[in-house]
Amino acid sequence: HETRKRRLRQPTTNMDTFTEQVDIPPPRIEDSETTEAGELEVSVSDPVKQGEGVHAYISYRVTTKTNLSQYKYNQCSVIRRYSDFEWLSSRLAEKNVGIIIPPIPEKSAVEKFRFSPGFIEDRRRSLHEFINRVAKHPALRMSTDLQLFLEASEEVWLTETKYAMAMTKKKSHSPMQLIRGWQESAKAFISGRKDEELEPEEYLKLKQYINELEGHLGELHRQSARVLKKQLSHAKALNDVGTGMILLGECESGELTESFRRAGDKAAEISKASQKLVTELHANFEQPLKGLLQSVDSVKAVMNDRSDALARISHLESSINAKKLRLGKLRADPLKSDRVPQCQRELEDLTQLLSEANEQYQLIVERMRSEIARWQKEKSTDLQQLLKEFATSNAKLAKYSAGVWESLSMGTQSHEI
């Protein structure tokens, strides 16, 4: 697609199909077990730079193939940009509390790298991974927000996302919402008990494991990036050595000239193969390792939601106890009996809020139980694949390098890596 304005072959989508009621609670995780089974394959391809200067961005073609009945088309393509993926991620997190949302790649911290071929390909690959993990998730794959992202025409997409953002902003920035949010946070901080006092030991062990895992993955990723950088530097240095051998041979004559030329050529071969395999390791080891590290952040985000829910319960319990004390004092004072009905209503409201808060907390706990098991299984599979990629690539390079040098000493031709 040469320009974002290019019209793709897709029918017009009815806006009413995608307009969502913001206040509808997300489906319980057990509901996803009865959702329709079927194919939902998504590809992210064709990154293209759009615009110039500060308004420049990269667009991607998102192609969907599905036989799910909720989708109108078995196959369709749309154009999306990074901020659209961000919107989808935020929307899924907002409406699916307790569910581990697959991570999306972070924004580039360095402006000059935003449009480098390497950065663009890394981001495309990571966005492809994100959207396919969402598409495979038993609950998220049925999301109408995902359907909107994958199926809506560009005009409908822009209209619907602007409407959703306006509704969210209106809801979260109302004066009473801000005041209540600040009051609840402050009171929960003062009166709330720590998770260690309220959560079961099994969950506390899980939190400790997640923190340790994050540290180990982070260190492994840093050292892996360091090793790959050194391997690339070594490969380039080896190419320079080869050039030096050829130049040295040219100063000599006869068989010595030919020997150094062959040695220089072999050094260049190994240098090229080393750079190729470093590129493969970056794509198949370092970047997936970084994705795993980001998935730990997603797990911690769900844990934070659980802690917030627990803090809200603690705060409401304290508020209810305080309100009961006040109600008792009002009833004991004949001069203040007219305030009793209002105090009773406030106590009833707080009791209702506590009931809802407990339901929310139990929903998160219930969802986390299956979500953590699913995430652990995916993590184990990913780690096994990473280890295999790392070992295979290094063994492949070592074998190839040995063959090249051996062919030089024996005067035979080397094989392709």
Side-chain angles (χ1 to χ4, degrees):
H1 50 288
E2 292 78 9
T3 173
R4 185 175 173 85
K5 293 184 179 180
R6 176 178 174 181
R7 293 294 176 258
L8 297 171
R9 182 179 176 274
Q10 57 181 10
T12 303
T13 307
N14 185 353
M15 288 171 51
D16 294 336
T17 302
F18 294 108
T19 302
E20 302 227 15
Q21 292 83 3
V22 177
D23 293 326
I24 291 181
R28 290 181 177 271
I29 195 69
E30 65 266 20
D31 294 341
S32 68
E33 297 176 359
T34 59
T35 57
E36 178 185 1
E39 296 181 0
L40 181 57
E41 299 179 1
V42 189
S43 65
V44 179
S45 61
D46 302 341
V48 174
K49 183 180 179 181
Q50 308 286 357
E52 297 295 336
V54 296
H55 300 293
Y57 62 91
I58 301 297
S59 66
Y60 306 87
R61 183 185 299 275
V62 180
T63 302
T64 304
K65 296 180 181 180
T66 183
N67 58 7
L68 294 178
S69 60
Q70 76 181 67
Y71 283 79
K72 289 189 174 184
Y73 317 109
N74 291 332
Q75 182 171 345
C76 64
S77 291
V78 295
I79 300 300
R80 298 289 184 252
R81 57 187 294 185
Y82 175 77
S83 59
D84 298 330
F85 286 87
E86 271 192 315
W87 182 92
L88 176 62
S89 177
S90 298
R91 189 77 163 169
L92 291 173
E94 173 191 342
K95 300 176 71 176
N96 294 277
V97 61
I99 289 181
I100 301 171
I101 307 300
I104 63 171
E106 70 252 11
K107 292 183 177 180
S108 174
V110 183
E111 181 68 22
K112 67 178 181 179
F113 293 147
R114 283 180 59 208
F115 301 110
S116 66
F119 176 81
I120 291 173
E121 175 57 20
D122 284 346
R123 172 169 283 186
R124 183 207 63 77
R125 192 184 299 110
S126 296
L127 292 174
H128 177 89
E129 182 73 14
F130 158 75
I131 200 67
N132 276 279
R133 286 188 183 272
V134 171
K136 292 175 183 177
H137 192 284
L140 300 180
R141 73 196 311 255
M142 306 307 294
S143 165
T144 52
D145 289 312
L146 176 62
Q147 183 182 358
L148 171 67
F149 177 88
L150 296 176
E151 207 173 43
S153 66
E154 190 165 348
E155 292 80 3
V156 171
W157 171 256
L158 292 174
T159 300
E160 285 295 305
T161 51
K162 285 181 179 179
Y163 170 79
M165 286 188 290
M167 291 297 294
T168 302
K169 185 176 181 180
K170 180 179 179 181
K171 183 178 180 180
S172 62
H173 288 79
S174 65
M176 287 305 298
Q177 186 75 15
L178 290 173
I179 292 173
R180 287 172 182 169
W182 178 83
Q183 288 177 336
E184 288 181 5
S185 298
K187 290 179 179 178
F189 178 79
I190 295 171
S191 62
R193 289 167 287 177
K194 295 181 179 180
D195 290 359
E196 288 76 6
E197 301 175 20
L198 301 172
E199 292 284 16
E201 183 178 355
E202 180 182 359
Y203 179 69
L204 297 179
K205 289 181 179 178
L206 174 63
K207 289 185 69 174
Q208 182 179 357
Y209 165 75
I210 292 298
N211 288 331
E212 292 177 355
L213 177 66
E214 182 179 37
H216 295 322
L217 284 174
E219 180 62 18
L220 178 57
H221 178 258
R222 283 190 293 273
Q223 296 302 331
S224 299
R226 181 167 166 262
V227 166
L228 291 182
K229 185 177 180 180
K230 286 188 174 183
Q231 284 183 332
L232 183 60
S233 177
H234 177 269
K236 292 178 178 179
L238 183 59
N239 186 69
D240 294 338
V241 168
T243 300
M245 287 182 173
I246 294 174
L247 293 174
L248 177 59
E250 291 176 353
C251 293
E252 302 298 326
S253 61
E255 181 62 27
L256 195 57
T257 298
E258 181 61 20
S259 295
F260 272 100
R261 185 193 63 77
R262 288 199 306 268
D265 289 343
K266 298 304 181 183
E269 283 185 42
I270 296 177
S271 173
K272 183 178 179 180
S274 297
Q275 293 183 59
K276 176 183 175 183
L277 290 180
V278 166
T279 300
E280 291 177 357
L281 276 174
H282 172 76
N284 301 325
F285 180 76
E286 183 194 354
Q287 285 299 303
L289 187 60
K290 185 178 181 180
L292 266 175
L293 184 59
Q294 291 172 326
S295 76
V296 174
D297 284 335
S298 298
V299 174
K300 294 180 74 173
V302 173
M303 288 182 161
N304 289 336
D305 288 341
R306 178 165 171 164
S307 295
D308 291 343
L310 203 56
R312 178 169 173 76
I313 290 173
S314 180
H315 160 60
L316 286 170
E317 287 175 342
S318 298
S319 298
I320 287 174
N321 290 334
K323 190 65 66 176
K324 287 179 177 179
L325 288 175
R326 176 166 175 75
L327 182 59
K329 291 179 180 179
L330 291 176
R331 286 172 172 167
D333 189 345
L335 297 177
K336 297 180 179 179
S337 59
D338 58 323
R339 302 182 188 178
V340 169
Q342 176 64 27
C343 189
Q344 286 179 323
R345 286 192 295 270
E346 292 174 354
L347 180 59
E348 291 172 359
D349 290 342
L350 286 172
T351 303
Q352 177 61 31
L353 288 175
L354 178 60
S355 175
E356 294 172 359
N358 275 304
E359 288 181 5
Q360 181 81 338
Y361 173 72
Q362 290 303 323
L363 175 62
I364 294 175
V365 170
E366 180 183 345
R367 284 181 166 180
M368 280 191 68
R369 189 174 294 113
S370 58
E371 281 292 288
I372 291 296
R374 182 188 59 81
W375 176 79
Q376 288 274 34
K377 184 178 180 179
E378 288 184 356
K379 173 184 62 67
S380 296
T381 301
D382 292 343
L383 285 174
Q384 290 175 352
Q385 182 62 29
L386 288 178
L387 186 58
K388 180 180 178 180
E389 288 287 346
F390 185 78
T392 301
S393 296
N394 280 286
K396 188 177 180 182
L397 178 59
K399 182 178 179 180
Y400 175 75
S401 299
V404 171
W405 291 127
E406 185 178 359
S407 70
L408 175 65
S409 64
M410 298 176 62
T412 60
Q413 296 295 319
S414 61
H415 301 286
E416 288 291 331
I417 186 169

